[in-house]
Amino acid sequence: MPVLVASDLDRTLIYSSAALALTMPDARAPRLLCVEVHESKPLSYMTETASQLLTELGDVALFVPTTTRTRKQYERINLPGPQPKYAICANGGHLLVDGVSDPDWQARVTARLADECAPLDEIREYLMATADPMWVRKHRVAEDLFAYLVVERELLPEDWVKELAAWAENRGWTVSLQGRKIYAVPKPLTKSAAMHELARRTGADLTLAAGDSLLDADLLLAADKGWRPGHGELADAEWTAPEIRALPERGVLAGERILREFLKECRAPK
């Protein structure tokens, strides 16, 4: 039976230039490998050591990239190691099999959203009406499933985010602030549901997970064991649970530590 490893990507295993500031002074920074290029510009990195660890992990476990990114955004990433057979995109809205979205899963997700939460248009209208153009740079809709804003973080009023979260909660939606992005995501749209489906299909008898944001909490709770780095929404809230390990490392070094923990569990005597 395989070990299934479902890991968040951004600010968990891979890091943008802005997120690299979480790590350490320049003089002590580790050697980096670029894993994402967009419009001829390097966007995301992991350490060379993390690259080697991820390659090893692909040989001993079923590694499943698990991200809130859209399919198009995910496809820009070129991770080291074996090409993943499965990936979870759009926060569980799309389950990719050999790069193609599984239509049955997509239909099930669509039905749940229609039954269990307010429609996307209502959320978009609220965001357009209440978000101040002084600090909003972009309004975006991802895969017709959820919405997010790109903001100037230093100008963003903290109270506005709290008010949005309270308003969305009553409509069956979750709000997550990650770097310069504010996500509004339907509660039925979860990474954990997609991970459970893959565990069922593959017969995995052990599930491992890692993530840094509020949108990863359900994934960590659903896995047999989970890890979170020393940065991000979950760390800021000092969030934890019995089978979840809160790591002290921050930034790209946290990515290395998470991969080491995955490998340790995969290689432990059963």
Side-chain angles (χ1 to χ4, degrees), residues 25-50:
D26 290 349
R28 296 176 54 204
R31 287 170 58 92
L32 299 173
L33 174 70
C34 179
V35 295
E36 179 185 13
V37 175
H38 181 52
E39 296 179 347
S40 302
K41 296 178 182 178
L43 288 188
S44 299
Y45 307 84
M46 63 196 317
T47 69
E48 288 186 349
T49 300

PDB file of all heavy atoms in Angstrom, residues 25-50:
ATOM      1  N   PRO A  25      19.410  36.235   6.800  1.00  0.00           N
ATOM      2  CA  PRO A  25      20.176  37.276   6.102  1.00  0.00           C
ATOM      3  C   PRO A  25      20.811  36.731   4.823  1.00  0.00           C
ATOM      4  O   PRO A  25      21.126  35.546   4.720  1.00  0.00           O
ATOM      5  CB  PRO A  25      21.246  37.668   7.132  1.00  0.00           C
ATOM      6  CG  PRO A  25      20.673  37.281   8.455  1.00  0.00           C
ATOM      7  CD  PRO A  25      19.836  36.060   8.203  1.00  0.00           C
ATOM      8  N   ASP A  26      21.029  37.621   3.864  1.00  0.00           N
ATOM      9  CA  ASP A  26      21.571  37.221   2.567  1.00  0.00           C
ATOM     10  C   ASP A  26      22.868  36.430   2.693  1.00  0.00           C
ATOM     11  O   ASP A  26      23.100  35.474   1.948  1.00  0.00           O
ATOM     12  CB  ASP A  26      21.825  38.458   1.693  1.00  0.00           C
ATOM     13  CG  ASP A  26      20.533  39.116   1.233  1.00  0.00           C
ATOM     14  OD1 ASP A  26      19.462  38.498   1.420  1.00  0.00           O
ATOM     15  OD2 ASP A  26      20.590  40.225   0.703  1.00  0.00           O
ATOM     16  N   ALA A  27      23.714  36.829   3.636  1.00  0.00           N
ATOM     17  CA  ALA A  27      25.032  36.197   3.749  1.00  0.00           C
ATOM     18  C   ALA A  27      24.944  34.723   4.118  1.00  0.00           C
ATOM     19  O   ALA A  27      25.878  33.959   3.869  1.00  0.00           O
ATOM     20  CB  ALA A  27      25.882  36.946   4.782  1.00  0.00           C
ATOM     21  N   ARG A  28      23.816  34.306   4.696  1.00  0.00           N
ATOM     22  CA  ARG A  28      23.660  32.918   5.127  1.00  0.00           C
ATOM     23  C   ARG A  28      22.631  32.157   4.286  1.00  0.00           C
ATOM     24  O   ARG A  28      22.278  31.032   4.602  1.00  0.00           O
ATOM     25  CB  ARG A  28      23.244  32.875   6.598  1.00  0.00           C
ATOM     26  CG  ARG A  28      24.290  33.429   7.557  1.00  0.00           C
ATOM     27  CD  ARG A  28      23.755  33.444   8.978  1.00  0.00           C
ATOM     28  NE  ARG A  28      23.258  32.137   9.395  1.00  0.00           N
ATOM     29  CZ  ARG A  28      22.359  31.941  10.354  1.00  0.00           C
ATOM     30  NH1 ARG A  28      21.821  32.980  10.974  1.00  0.00           N
ATOM     31  NH2 ARG A  28      21.982  30.728  10.677  1.00  0.00           N
ATOM     32  N   ALA A  29      22.158  32.792   3.229  1.00  0.00           N
ATOM     33  CA  ALA A  29      21.102  32.175   2.428  1.00  0.00           C
ATOM     34  C   ALA A  29      21.606  30.919   1.727  1.00  0.00           C
ATOM     35  O   ALA A  29      22.737  30.885   1.237  1.00  0.00           O
ATOM     36  CB  ALA A  29      20.582  33.169   1.395  1.00  0.00           C
ATOM     37  N   PRO A  30      20.785  29.874   1.648  1.00  0.00           N
ATOM     38  CA  PRO A  30      21.184  28.638   0.962  1.00  0.00           C
ATOM     39  C   PRO A  30      21.130  28.808  -0.548  1.00  0.00           C
ATOM     40  O   PRO A  30      20.505  29.735  -1.069  1.00  0.00           O
ATOM     41  CB  PRO A  30      20.137  27.633   1.442  1.00  0.00           C
ATOM     42  CG  PRO A  30      18.926  28.470   1.704  1.00  0.00           C
ATOM     43  CD  PRO A  30      19.437  29.790   2.224  1.00  0.00           C
ATOM     44  N   ARG A  31      21.781  27.878  -1.265  1.00  0.00           N
ATOM     45  CA  ARG A  31      21.703  27.869  -2.721  1.00  0.00           C
ATOM     46  C   ARG A  31      20.286  27.491  -3.150  1.00  0.00           C
ATOM     47  O   ARG A  31      19.671  26.592  -2.569  1.00  0.00           O
ATOM     48  CB  ARG A  31      22.708  26.870  -3.293  1.00  0.00           C
ATOM     49  CG  ARG A  31      24.152  27.340  -3.190  1.00  0.00           C
ATOM     50  CD  ARG A  31      25.099  26.224  -3.542  1.00  0.00           C
ATOM     51  NE  ARG A  31      24.860  25.694  -4.875  1.00  0.00           N
ATOM     52  CZ  ARG A  31      25.479  26.119  -5.976  1.00  0.00           C
ATOM     53  NH1 ARG A  31      26.360  27.095  -5.899  1.00  0.00           N
ATOM     54  NH2 ARG A  31      25.233  25.564  -7.138  1.00  0.00           N
ATOM     55  N   LEU A  32      19.786  28.186  -4.164  1.00  0.00           N
ATOM     56  CA  LEU A  32      18.400  28.032  -4.580  1.00  0.00           C
ATOM     57  C   LEU A  32      18.283  27.468  -5.993  1.00  0.00           C
ATOM     58  O   LEU A  32      19.153  27.676  -6.836  1.00  0.00           O
ATOM     59  CB  LEU A  32      17.676  29.378  -4.524  1.00  0.00           C
ATOM     60  CG  LEU A  32      17.596  30.061  -3.168  1.00  0.00           C
ATOM     61  CD1 LEU A  32      17.014  31.459  -3.323  1.00  0.00           C
ATOM     62  CD2 LEU A  32      16.756  29.246  -2.185  1.00  0.00           C
ATOM     63  N   LEU A  33      17.172  26.779  -6.224  1.00  0.00           N
ATOM     64  CA  LEU A  33      16.814  26.278  -7.541  1.00  0.00           C
ATOM     65  C   LEU A  33      15.501  26.933  -7.946  1.00  0.00           C
ATOM     66  O   LEU A  33      14.520  26.897  -7.193  1.00  0.00           O
ATOM     67  CB  LEU A  33      16.639  24.758  -7.503  1.00  0.00           C
ATOM     68  CG  LEU A  33      16.119  24.100  -8.784  1.00  0.00           C
ATOM     69  CD1 LEU A  33      17.188  24.146  -9.870  1.00  0.00           C
ATOM     70  CD2 LEU A  33      15.680  22.663  -8.513  1.00  0.00           C
ATOM     71  N   CYS A  34      15.450  27.543  -9.121  1.00  0.00           N
ATOM     72  CA  CYS A  34      14.210  28.135  -9.623  1.00  0.00           C
ATOM     73  C   CYS A  34      13.290  27.025 -10.131  1.00  0.00           C
ATOM     74  O   CYS A  34      13.703  26.188 -10.932  1.00  0.00           O
ATOM     75  CB  CYS A  34      14.510  29.128 -10.743  1.00  0.00           C
ATOM     76  SG  CYS A  34      13.027  29.886 -11.449  1.00  0.00           S
ATOM     77  N   VAL A  35      12.041  27.021  -9.657  1.00  0.00           N
ATOM     78  CA  VAL A  35      11.083  25.990 -10.066  1.00  0.00           C
ATOM     79  C   VAL A  35       9.866  26.567 -10.790  1.00  0.00           C
ATOM     80  O   VAL A  35       8.956  25.817 -11.159  1.00  0.00           O
ATOM     81  CB  VAL A  35      10.617  25.154  -8.844  1.00  0.00           C
ATOM     82  CG1 VAL A  35      11.776  24.375  -8.261  1.00  0.00           C
ATOM     83  CG2 VAL A  35       9.962  26.040  -7.787  1.00  0.00           C
ATOM     84  N   GLU A  36       9.852  27.888 -10.998  1.00  0.00           N
ATOM     85  CA  GLU A  36       8.736  28.500 -11.722  1.00  0.00           C
ATOM     86  C   GLU A  36       9.224  29.736 -12.457  1.00  0.00           C
ATOM     87  O   GLU A  36       9.868  30.601 -11.869  1.00  0.00           O
ATOM     88  CB  GLU A  36       7.603  28.891 -10.769  1.00  0.00           C
ATOM     89  CG  GLU A  36       6.430  29.553 -11.473  1.00  0.00           C
ATOM     90  CD  GLU A  36       5.354  30.060 -10.533  1.00  0.00           C
ATOM     91  OE1 GLU A  36       5.615  30.128  -9.313  1.00  0.00           O
ATOM     92  OE2 GLU A  36       4.256  30.399 -11.017  1.00  0.00           O
ATOM     93  N   VAL A  37       8.881  29.795 -13.746  1.00  0.00           N
ATOM     94  CA  VAL A  37       9.168  30.955 -14.582  1.00  0.00           C
ATOM     95  C   VAL A  37       7.869  31.376 -15.252  1.00  0.00           C
ATOM     96  O   VAL A  37       7.102  30.535 -15.726  1.00  0.00           O
ATOM     97  CB  VAL A  37      10.241  30.633 -15.644  1.00  0.00           C
ATOM     98  CG1 VAL A  37      10.442  31.814 -16.582  1.00  0.00           C
ATOM     99  CG2 VAL A  37      11.556  30.255 -14.979  1.00  0.00           C
ATOM    100  N   HIS A  38       7.628  32.690 -15.278  1.00  0.00           N
ATOM    101  CA  HIS A  38       6.420  33.209 -15.933  1.00  0.00           C
ATOM    102  C   HIS A  38       6.786  34.492 -16.658  1.00  0.00           C
ATOM    103  O   HIS A  38       7.375  35.398 -16.074  1.00  0.00           O
ATOM    104  CB  HIS A  38       5.325  33.479 -14.898  1.00  0.00           C
ATOM    105  CG  HIS A  38       4.047  33.986 -15.495  1.00  0.00           C
ATOM    106  ND1 HIS A  38       3.401  33.363 -16.536  1.00  0.00           N
ATOM    107  CD2 HIS A  38       3.286  35.083 -15.188  1.00  0.00           C
ATOM    108  CE1 HIS A  38       2.298  34.019 -16.848  1.00  0.00           C
ATOM    109  NE2 HIS A  38       2.223  35.070 -16.055  1.00  0.00           N
ATOM    110  N   GLU A  39       6.426  34.548 -17.942  1.00  0.00           N
ATOM    111  CA  GLU A  39       6.754  35.706 -18.783  1.00  0.00           C
ATOM    112  C   GLU A  39       8.246  36.012 -18.713  1.00  0.00           C
ATOM    113  O   GLU A  39       8.662  37.156 -18.559  1.00  0.00           O
ATOM    114  CB  GLU A  39       5.909  36.916 -18.378  1.00  0.00           C
ATOM    115  CG  GLU A  39       4.422  36.700 -18.618  1.00  0.00           C
ATOM    116  CD  GLU A  39       3.571  37.888 -18.200  1.00  0.00           C
ATOM    117  OE1 GLU A  39       4.099  38.776 -17.500  1.00  0.00           O
ATOM    118  OE2 GLU A  39       2.382  37.921 -18.576  1.00  0.00           O
ATOM    119  N   SER A  40       9.034  34.957 -18.786  1.00  0.00           N
ATOM    120  CA  SER A  40      10.510  35.026 -18.811  1.00  0.00           C
ATOM    121  C   SER A  40      11.116  35.524 -17.503  1.00  0.00           C
ATOM    122  O   SER A  40      12.296  35.873 -17.461  1.00  0.00           O
ATOM    123  CB  SER A  40      10.993  35.912 -19.970  1.00  0.00           C
ATOM    124  OG  SER A  40      10.528  35.425 -21.204  1.00  0.00           O
ATOM    125  N   LYS A  41      10.339  35.518 -16.430  1.00  0.00           N
ATOM    126  CA  LYS A  41      10.847  35.963 -15.142  1.00  0.00           C
ATOM    127  C   LYS A  41      10.783  34.804 -14.136  1.00  0.00           C
ATOM    128  O   LYS A  41       9.759  34.120 -14.044  1.00  0.00           O
ATOM    129  CB  LYS A  41      10.020  37.131 -14.608  1.00  0.00           C
ATOM    130  CG  LYS A  41      10.094  38.383 -15.471  1.00  0.00           C
ATOM    131  CD  LYS A  41       9.217  39.477 -14.891  1.00  0.00           C
ATOM    132  CE  LYS A  41       9.254  40.725 -15.774  1.00  0.00           C
ATOM    133  NZ  LYS A  41       8.346  41.784 -15.236  1.00  0.00           N
ATOM    134  N   PRO A  42      11.864  34.584 -13.375  1.00  0.00           N
ATOM    135  CA  PRO A  42      11.815  33.559 -12.329  1.00  0.00           C
ATOM    136  C   PRO A  42      10.887  34.005 -11.203  1.00  0.00           C
ATOM    137  O   PRO A  42      10.942  35.150 -10.757  1.00  0.00           O
ATOM    138  CB  PRO A  42      13.272  33.464 -11.855  1.00  0.00           C
ATOM    139  CG  PRO A  42      13.874  34.782 -12.208  1.00  0.00           C
ATOM    140  CD  PRO A  42      13.174  35.256 -13.441  1.00  0.00           C
ATOM    141  N   LEU A  43      10.021  33.097 -10.763  1.00  0.00           N
ATOM    142  CA  LEU A  43       9.026  33.459  -9.751  1.00  0.00           C
ATOM    143  C   LEU A  43       9.192  32.711  -8.429  1.00  0.00           C
ATOM    144  O   LEU A  43       9.023  33.289  -7.366  1.00  0.00           O
ATOM    145  CB  LEU A  43       7.614  33.216 -10.281  1.00  0.00           C
ATOM    146  CG  LEU A  43       7.065  34.155 -11.339  1.00  0.00           C
ATOM    147  CD1 LEU A  43       5.593  33.851 -11.579  1.00  0.00           C
ATOM    148  CD2 LEU A  43       7.242  35.611 -10.942  1.00  0.00           C
ATOM    149  N   SER A  44       9.451  31.415  -8.486  1.00  0.00           N
ATOM    150  CA  SER A  44       9.446  30.610  -7.265  1.00  0.00           C
ATOM    151  C   SER A  44      10.687  29.734  -7.180  1.00  0.00           C
ATOM    152  O   SER A  44      11.232  29.322  -8.207  1.00  0.00           O
ATOM    153  CB  SER A  44       8.190  29.738  -7.198  1.00  0.00           C
ATOM    154  OG  SER A  44       7.027  30.535  -7.193  1.00  0.00           O
ATOM    155  N   TYR A  45      11.067  29.431  -5.924  1.00  0.00           N
ATOM    156  CA  TYR A  45      12.320  28.734  -5.672  1.00  0.00           C
ATOM    157  C   TYR A  45      12.151  27.704  -4.559  1.00  0.00           C
ATOM    158  O   TYR A  45      11.228  27.774  -3.750  1.00  0.00           O
ATOM    159  CB  TYR A  45      13.407  29.726  -5.227  1.00  0.00           C
ATOM    160  CG  TYR A  45      13.613  30.896  -6.145  1.00  0.00           C
ATOM    161  CD1 TYR A  45      12.801  32.028  -6.059  1.00  0.00           C
ATOM    162  CD2 TYR A  45      14.627  30.883  -7.099  1.00  0.00           C
ATOM    163  CE1 TYR A  45      12.988  33.108  -6.899  1.00  0.00           C
ATOM    164  CE2 TYR A  45      14.827  31.971  -7.940  1.00  0.00           C
ATOM    165  CZ  TYR A  45      14.000  33.079  -7.843  1.00  0.00           C
ATOM    166  OH  TYR A  45      14.197  34.150  -8.677  1.00  0.00           O
ATOM    167  N   MET A  46      13.081  26.765  -4.534  1.00  0.00           N
ATOM    168  CA  MET A  46      13.299  25.924  -3.377  1.00  0.00           C
ATOM    169  C   MET A  46      14.813  25.754  -3.249  1.00  0.00           C
ATOM    170  O   MET A  46      15.559  26.075  -4.181  1.00  0.00           O
ATOM    171  CB  MET A  46      12.579  24.579  -3.501  1.00  0.00           C
ATOM    172  CG  MET A  46      13.036  23.695  -4.622  1.00  0.00           C
ATOM    173  SD  MET A  46      11.857  22.339  -5.019  1.00  0.00           S
ATOM    174  CE  MET A  46      11.358  21.752  -3.413  1.00  0.00           C
ATOM    175  N   THR A  47      15.289  25.292  -2.106  1.00  0.00           N
ATOM    176  CA  THR A  47      16.731  25.111  -1.979  1.00  0.00           C
ATOM    177  C   THR A  47      17.168  23.893  -2.795  1.00  0.00           C
ATOM    178  O   THR A  47      16.372  22.999  -3.091  1.00  0.00           O
ATOM    179  CB  THR A  47      17.153  24.921  -0.519  1.00  0.00           C
ATOM    180  OG1 THR A  47      16.678  23.652  -0.054  1.00  0.00           O
ATOM    181  CG2 THR A  47      16.617  26.030   0.372  1.00  0.00           C
ATOM    182  N   GLU A  48      18.439  23.853  -3.140  1.00  0.00           N
ATOM    183  CA  GLU A  48      18.963  22.692  -3.859  1.00  0.00           C
ATOM    184  C   GLU A  48      18.816  21.429  -3.016  1.00  0.00           C
ATOM    185  O   GLU A  48      18.526  20.350  -3.541  1.00  0.00           O
ATOM    186  CB  GLU A  48      20.423  22.931  -4.232  1.00  0.00           C
ATOM    187  CG  GLU A  48      20.597  23.961  -5.337  1.00  0.00           C
ATOM    188  CD  GLU A  48      22.040  24.077  -5.788  1.00  0.00           C
ATOM    189  OE1 GLU A  48      22.927  23.528  -5.115  1.00  0.00           O
ATOM    190  OE2 GLU A  48      22.278  24.723  -6.824  1.00  0.00           O
ATOM    191  N   THR A  49      18.991  21.580  -1.706  1.00  0.00           N
ATOM    192  CA  THR A  49      18.809  20.429  -0.814  1.00  0.00           C
ATOM    193  C   THR A  49      17.370  19.933  -0.845  1.00  0.00           C
ATOM    194  O   THR A  49      17.103  18.727  -0.917  1.00  0.00           O
ATOM    195  CB  THR A  49      19.213  20.789   0.617  1.00  0.00           C
ATOM    196  OG1 THR A  49      20.587  21.173   0.637  1.00  0.00           O
ATOM    197  CG2 THR A  49      18.990  19.619   1.561  1.00  0.00           C
ATOM    198  N   ALA A  50      16.415  20.869  -0.805  1.00  0.00           N
ATOM    199  CA  ALA A  50      14.998  20.490  -0.873  1.00  0.00           C
ATOM    200  C   ALA A  50      14.696  19.792  -2.190  1.00  0.00           C
ATOM    201  O   ALA A  50      13.904  18.843  -2.241  1.00  0.00           O
ATOM    202  CB  ALA A  50      14.114  21.716  -0.701  1.00  0.00           C
TER     203      ALA A  50
END
